[in-house]
Amino acid sequence: MISQDIDIKPFNTFGISVKARQYLPIYELQDLRLIEQNQPIFVLGGGSNVLFSQDYEGLLVHVKLSGIEKLEETSEEVLLRVAAGENWHQLVLYTLANNWGGLENLALIPGTAGAAPIQNIGAYGAELSETFMYLDFYEFASRQVKRLTKAACQFGYRDSIFKNELKNKGIITAIYLNLKKQPHTLKLGYGAIKEALEKQGSTDKTTIQQVAKAVISIRQSKLPDPQKIGNCGSFFKNPEVPVQQYDTLKKQFPNLAAFSTSSPMSMKLAAGWLIEQCGWKGKKIGQAGVYEHQALVLVNHGNASAAELMALAKQIQHDVYQKFAVHIVPEVNVV
Ligand code: EPU
């Protein structure tokens, strides 16, 4: 059923109050038939990576498809079908309860399973693409569900075909993941994970459940809980720069925080560090602020308007460019 003029404050973790002219929740695949392409369409999952800058004058489709199904199982692995509306962290907990490995480093990421491939969610040394097999995509134009392989999804750093060629062309209805039974291959390369495991006293024979616990404790110490303070996680992407530019910056700023990339020609800079160096950590403009424990995260301290958050983001981009000649771009989808 389509409703009119719905306030979507409860449906976005920034807690921005704007209206959607038309609103359609999708509980079952047959509800997709109600979508007409005679207006702009925006597909919403958990609303944890989107900033609405104004009322949405089109049709907001809210994906609430549910169900997790084990399709195949061998002595080594399982293939899961996860409906797009399933909560990501609940899915991670379910896989941990079954002792299936692969998602433990991605614990506590807000949002839905269907949104996960869009920006190829990643954290603490892992990303979705490593367990991902394929997905189902309902294409608006043909009104058909198509299967897209991992290669077809064109995954990159916080990127996929759904942010490019297939943007606004349809809806992910289910994802298919391959998870491993014991023995698990743990990803412990991220320094903070080792520290957290040591604190937990679980360095010997570490389990996937302990890795998840470590990730959860790191996230809780650095990232604000959207239930308590409106936010969308990292607001900007970590920018990639040519090695020459990195070398020049490193001479000027010896503490520059950076990581290598898959290419020897470029380095990824920690945008949180760049922003902190510009003096923005913990600062506010009106009700819009920069989180005190992680400068990459913008927060809504109460009733920030989208305009206030955008003004803050622009000011930060400007200052980072002035100081480092590096352009940082939003990771969050600004609509
Ligand atoms: N740093 C600072 N000051 C800050 C924030 C970070 O100096 O205010 C420095 C840290 O000390 C560290 C480096 O920057 O040396 C990296 O910081 P962190 O480990 O917190 O990770 P990040 O690069 O800021 C990325 C992801 C996060 C993900 C973490 C862990 C992006 C845009 N963000 O953040 O993802 O959880 O790595 O893997 O890639 C998200 O996408 O919403 C998100 C939270």
Side-chain angles (χ1 to χ4, degrees):
M1 269 275 290
I2 295 183
S3 325
Q4 324 287 328
D5 294 323
I6 295 291
D7 185 347
I8 57 173
K9 185 169 171 147
F11 308 143
N12 72 100
T13 61
F14 251 131
I16 300 289
S17 179
V18 293
K19 287 206 166 102
R21 237 13 106 217
Q22 304 218 56
Y23 172 80
L24 173 65
I26 304 284
Y27 291 98
E28 293 176 45
L29 289 174
Q30 64 195 35
D31 298 336
L32 294 164
R33 284 195 234 127
L34 297 171
I35 300 172
E36 293 296 339
Q37 256 199 306
N38 55 0
Q39 57 190 324
I41 299 171
F42 185 81
V43 183
L44 189 68
S48 57
N49 208 45
V50 56
L51 174 58
F52 287 96
S53 57
Q54 55 195 334
D55 286 346
Y56 189 66
E57 297 298 342
L59 172 67
L60 189 75
V61 178
H62 200 174
V63 182
K64 290 174 170 281
L65 298 163
S66 63
I68 304 178
E69 217 181 312
K70 186 171 69 184
L71 296 184
E72 284 169 28
E73 178 165 15
T74 67
S75 55
E76 278 139 39
E77 50 196 27
V78 292
L79 177 67
L80 283 193
R81 176 191 191 274
V82 187
E86 286 289 336
N87 175 274
W88 177 263
H89 182 58
Q90 293 305 317
L91 165 67
V92 175
L93 293 180
Y94 170 79
T95 63
L96 291 170
N98 283 284
N99 208 20
W100 297 329
L103 303 185
E104 56 279 2
N105 295 50
L106 304 178
L108 213 63
I109 296 182
T112 55
I118 296 177
Q119 62 157 337
N120 182 22
I121 56 169
Y124 306 103
E127 55 180 38
L128 175 79
S129 62
E130 292 155 18
T131 48
F132 180 91
M133 300 297 281
Y134 46 91
L135 56 73
D136 292 336
F137 183 73
Y138 174 81
E139 194 181 52
F140 295 143
S142 63
R143 293 178 167 255
Q144 301 282 330
V145 175
K146 300 197 163 165
R147 187 149 285 182
L148 297 186
T149 63
K150 178 159 141 178
C153 293
Q154 299 176 13
F155 291 126
Y157 163 63
R158 296 288 189 278
D159 200 27
S160 74
I161 193 165
F162 309 104
K163 281 185 146 188
N164 299 292
E165 268 162 81
L166 291 185
K167 190 171 176 169
N168 302 331
K169 296 284 192 290
I171 297 178
I172 294 168
T173 57
I175 65 172
Y176 298 76
L177 303 176
N178 176 274
L179 302 171
K180 302 282 184 239
K181 294 186 174 177
Q182 272 174 315
H184 296 126
T185 318
L186 303 178
K187 292 182 211 91
L188 307 177
Y190 205 91
I193 291 195
K194 279 195 207 114
E195 280 167 38
L197 284 171
E198 272 163 33
K199 256 193 227 158
Q200 280 171 215
S202 45
T203 43
D204 224 31
K205 289 219 179 123
T206 307
T207 63
I208 52 172
Q209 290 78 9
Q210 287 164 337
V211 173
K213 194 174 161 202
V215 167
I216 289 170
S217 72
I218 302 166
R219 291 191 76 97
Q220 284 174 338
S221 70
K222 283 194 180 184
L223 300 168
D225 177 353
Q227 305 272 3
K228 295 185 185 134
I229 177 162
N231 77 91
C232 272
S234 303
F235 191 89
F236 299 101
K237 285 198 215 184
N238 285 330
E240 274 186 34
V241 300
V243 205
Q244 294 93 316
Q245 190 179 359
Y246 165 78
D247 289 340
T248 313
L249 282 169
K250 184 79 183 165
K251 279 194 198 112
Q252 223 182 330
F253 305 97
N255 295 330
L256 181 69
F259 325 92
S260 51
T261 66
S262 51
S263 155
M265 306 300 287
S266 59
M267 288 289 283
K268 205 186 275 178
L269 307 181
W273 186 89
L274 301 173
I275 297 167
E276 181 173 354
Q277 296 304 307
C278 292
W280 275 109
K281 200 169 185 169
K283 292 279 164 59
K284 283 184 191 178
I285 295 185
Q287 292 291 303
V290 179
Y291 191 53
E292 55 182 334
H293 302 301
Q294 188 8 323
L296 198 48
V297 178
L298 301 192
V299 291
N300 176 358
H301 283 291
N303 289 315
S305 64
E308 271 176 324
L309 278 157
M310 290 308 293
L312 175 62
K314 290 229 162 69
Q315 192 62 55
I316 292 171
Q317 281 174 312
H318 173 265
D319 288 3
V320 167
Y321 190 77
Q322 288 295 309
K323 193 171 169 90
F324 301 104
V326 172
H327 187 54
I328 54 172
V329 295
E331 186 246 17
V332 164
N333 195 352
V334 179
V335 185

